[in-house]
Amino acid sequence: VQLQASGGGSVQTGGSLRLSCKVSGRTFDRYGMGWFRQVPGKEYEFVASIKRSSGRTVYADSVKGRFTISRDNAENTMFLQMNSLKPEDTAVYYCAVRLDALSWQFRESNYWGQGTLVTVSS
């Protein structure tokens, strides 16, 4: 299983970005699919996740109301629409999957992608 994240970039405060994560290889309906982020020198932080089968979602409090996670099962792709971006959202964003989970720590992921950098300037 391989995950390829894309869509990062640089925006000003209040701007928007849409991240994509293409999952290739064997996939399971029981997968939880999620986004995590990391600022250099800090721990990975959970951002949002979605159950591939049901579409049920979970968000970190810090992004609720601003970020929306979604998936296209036919294309094996997950998205993260990020609106009203703040400087504190600056990080490398990683997509990851874990079997039979909706919430997990990044280190518990079964597979993850290479990360895409999001920079929000004030």
Side-chain angles (χ1 to χ4, degrees), residues 2-10 16-23 34-36 76-82 91-96 112-118:
Q2 293 184 325
L3 287 79
Q4 180 72 42
S6 61
S10 297
S16 298
L17 284 173
R18 189 188 195 211
L19 305 184
S20 299
C21 178
K22 176 72 173 177
V23 183
W35 291 96
F36 297 79
N76 284 330
T77 302
M78 174 176 61
F79 305 97
L80 185 69
Q81 178 66 44
M82 304 186 295
V92 178
Y93 284 70
Y94 297 86
C95 56
W112 57 93
Q114 86 288 359
T116 185
L117 177 63
V118 172

Side-chain angles (χ1 to χ4, degrees), residues 23 30 34 67 69 87:
V23 183
R30 291 156 52 196
F67 291 10
I69 189 171

Side-chain angles (χ1 to χ4, degrees), residues 37 47 59 63 65-68 80-83 85 89 93:
R37 63 189 182 187
V47 175
Y59 293 93
V63 306
R66 300 188 298 121
F67 291 10
T68 302
L80 185 69
Q81 178 66 44
M82 304 186 295
N83 299 329
L85 282 162
D89 294 318
Y93 284 70

Side-chain angles (χ1 to χ4, degrees), residues 12-68:
Q12 292 188 328
T13 297
S16 298
L17 284 173
R18 189 188 195 211
L19 305 184
S20 299
C21 178
K22 176 72 173 177
V23 183
S24 59
R26 191 176 183 184
T27 57
F28 297 94
D29 279 344
R30 291 156 52 196
Y31 269 149
M33 307 168 70
W35 291 96
F36 297 79
R37 63 189 182 187
Q38 186 189 35
V39 175
K42 294 191 176 181
E43 293 290 325
Y44 289 94
E45 177 189 11
F46 169 79
V47 175
S49 62
I50 186 168
K51 227 25 193 332
R52 187 179 189 276
S53 55
S54 66
R56 185 182 169 192
T57 59
V58 175
Y59 293 93
D61 287 342
S62 59
V63 306
K64 278 181 183 176
R66 300 188 298 121
F67 291 10
T68 302

